[in-house]
Amino acid sequence: MTAIRVLLVDDDPLVRAGLALMMGGADDIRIVGEAGDGDAVEDLVARARPDAVLMDLRMPAVDGLTATQRLRRRPDAPQVVVLTTFHADEQVLGALRAGAAGFVLKDTPPAEIIDAVRRVAAGDPVLSPTVTRQLMAHVAGASADTRRARARSRVALLNDREREVAVAVGRGLANAEIATGLFMSVATVKTHVSRILAKLGLNNRVQIALLAYDAGLLDDGAADGR
């Protein structure tokens, strides 16, 4: 089994030590580096080539949001899981929009943090659709109308079948569930998801879910996106 390579980024050395100790007991995870601030992340990623980064949001020089934005611009970007003490926070949502695969609270049980790392390394998001909607509703403000208009203009690039798949992804359905609901094969679902990501310039399924929410596709009676 190839170990999942993980980079820890947090300005608190005690938090990093705790995470390293916790993950050291997992046979399939290997800590390949640590950083105390976001300004060191890009160089460490280039040297250590992690599969996943556990990223603190609040750091003194370069915060986790900025570091995530920089990382996701790389062609070989690792998956990012945001570490935070807040359930609903503008920076958390910003990191998700920038391409983070999800977030976990710092007081999350160790087994769940390890599971989150395994899931993002396998390409699965670590954010339930319920939490996603609560988070976006909490931070929604005066820019909601502008965001919806922009999201709908992007969604218009999708054909009807792709839009149906985007809605299903936004509702948190797995590929097998989407395949059953839309009467297609799992392979076809994966193809549609890949095309959606490519057409809209997105990084992962979390961003599809965010866009579907912003465009109003998850509203009651709006499943067709019109």
Side-chain angles (χ1 to χ4, degrees):
M1 180 186 298
T2 302
I4 301 167
R5 300 167 62 83
V6 177
L7 174 66
L8 305 177
V9 184
D10 195 294
D11 64 336
D12 188 337
L14 291 178
V15 171
R16 297 199 307 273
L19 289 170
L21 180 63
M22 173 184 66
M23 294 189 176
D27 294 337
D28 59 339
I29 293 177
R30 177 185 170 198
I31 305 301
V32 295
E34 298 183 18
D37 200 274
D39 60 356
V41 171
E42 286 187 278
D43 286 342
L44 275 173
V45 165
R47 294 200 307 268
R49 302 185 66 82
D51 301 303
V53 178
L54 281 177
M55 181 85 74
D56 186 22
L57 277 179
R58 287 169 172 78
M59 293 179 286
V62 175
D63 62 31
L65 171 57
T66 302
T68 298
Q69 291 170 331
R70 291 175 180 175
L71 275 188
R72 296 308 304 177
R73 288 197 290 264
R74 297 174 60 94
D76 56 347
Q79 297 293 338
V80 176
V81 179
V82 169
L83 287 168
T84 180
T85 55
F86 300 94
H87 284 273
D89 180 85
E90 184 69 43
Q91 280 196 309
V92 173
L93 184 55
L96 296 175
R97 293 189 188 283
F103 75 91
V104 293
L105 299 176
K106 289 188 177 182
D107 60 359
T108 298
E112 293 182 22
I113 295 180
I114 291 174
D115 181 62
V117 170
R118 289 172 176 152
R119 287 171 59 188
V120 299
D124 296 326
V126 290
L127 195 64
S128 74
T130 299
V131 172
T132 304
R133 286 192 289 270
Q134 289 175 344
L135 175 63
M136 289 186 287
H138 180 83
V139 299
S143 63
D145 290 341
T146 299
R147 197 166 58 244
R148 172 157 294 195
R150 290 175 178 171
R152 287 190 168 181
S153 69
R154 296 182 70 189
V155 168
L157 298 174
L158 304 178
N159 61 39
D160 289 344
R161 206 55 163 163
E162 290 165 346
R163 187 162 53 245
E164 289 176 334
V165 171
V167 169
V169 170
R171 288 176 174 159
L173 300 182
N175 287 340
E177 294 172 315
I178 298 173
T180 299
L182 297 181
F183 305 101
M184 61 177 69
S185 69
V186 172
T188 300
V189 173
K190 291 179 179 178
T191 297
H192 281 309
V193 171
S194 295
R195 287 176 178 169
I196 292 168
L197 294 172
K199 275 188 177 183
L200 304 182
L202 303 177
N203 293 310
N204 54 43
R205 295 169 75 100
V206 171
Q207 287 189 321
I208 295 176
L210 291 171
L211 186 65
Y213 178 92
D214 284 345
L217 300 188
L218 306 184
D219 296 346
D220 291 339
D224 62 358
R226 299 186 179 94

